[in-house]
Amino acid sequence: MIKQLLRSFHPLEQLERKRINEIKKGVLPNSCSILFEYPIPSPDTLIEDIEFIVLDFETTGLDSYNDEILSVGSVNIKNQILSLSSAQHFYMLAANAIKPETAVINHILPEVLIGGCTEKECMEKLVLSLAGKVVVAHCAEIEQRFLRRALALSHDTPLPIVFLDTLKLEKSLSDYWGQAKPDLRLSEIRQKKGLPPYLAHNAFADAVATGELFLVLIKEIFSEKRVTIGELLSRSQSS
């Protein structure tokens, strides 16, 4: 009884109840109604039974209300295999939103966005890819905030997606205990682990780089143990 009670407070169980409650209301957001069709995995679901999608947004800044998404990159992981054939990379029609200070970093210039898709078109494609999957991102809060804004979700509407954060997974390692401000940039972590350098601040390259890091972290944290999504989420939220 106590075990069942504690389980009911698990973040995954709480998100599943929110998903069901939203369905019962009978008015799902048009922008992402398909996301509500897929149940949230239970905490004891093995990760080998879950399909992941690694997501990266390049934006004009970190303010999801005043900044814009410039490009989106994603790639799928299943059975701890990163599938490059599943990769997607979209540019947005947002040339007017480009800021000099971020263009220097991500090298996205107005001419790069010619022929891109509108944010609505991109989100329609992306939502289809996200449905039924667990999202992995580096500093996942950024992707989560911008995704909510792009889908025009109200404050009290749940986003029925589980997010895992490679930054927090890395920070949970004992190497960082006692460090006030460790360098947790994606490129720095990859270098530390002997992973090859990729083009930084490119949505497609960063999605692949994050996916590779995610697979390395699973092995580093859990060794050969069979891992549940509940255990993985706990480590991803522990920092």
Side-chain angles (χ1 to χ4, degrees), residues 19-70:
R19 181 190 73 89
I20 293 173
N21 288 337
E22 205 66 23
I23 292 174
K24 289 179 179 178
K25 291 179 183 178
V27 185
L28 296 175
N30 292 329
S31 60
C32 60
S33 59
I34 190 173
L35 297 179
F36 289 85
E37 297 178 11
Y38 294 84
I40 302 301
S42 62
D44 56 0
T45 303
L46 293 170
I47 62 171
E48 61 203 53
D49 296 324
I50 292 174
E51 188 167 5
F52 300 89
I53 182 168
V54 190
L55 185 63
D56 186 81
F57 290 164
E58 290 300 318
T59 66
T60 59
L62 300 179
D63 185 342
S64 59
Y65 290 99
N66 296 307
D67 289 308
E68 299 292 334
I69 301 172
L70 297 177

Side-chain angles (χ1 to χ4, degrees), residues 158-172:
L159 179 59
I161 298 176
V162 178
F163 282 82
L164 298 174
D165 191 339
T166 49
L167 184 152
K168 290 186 176 181
L169 285 172
E170 172 71 12
K171 193 176 180 181
S172 74

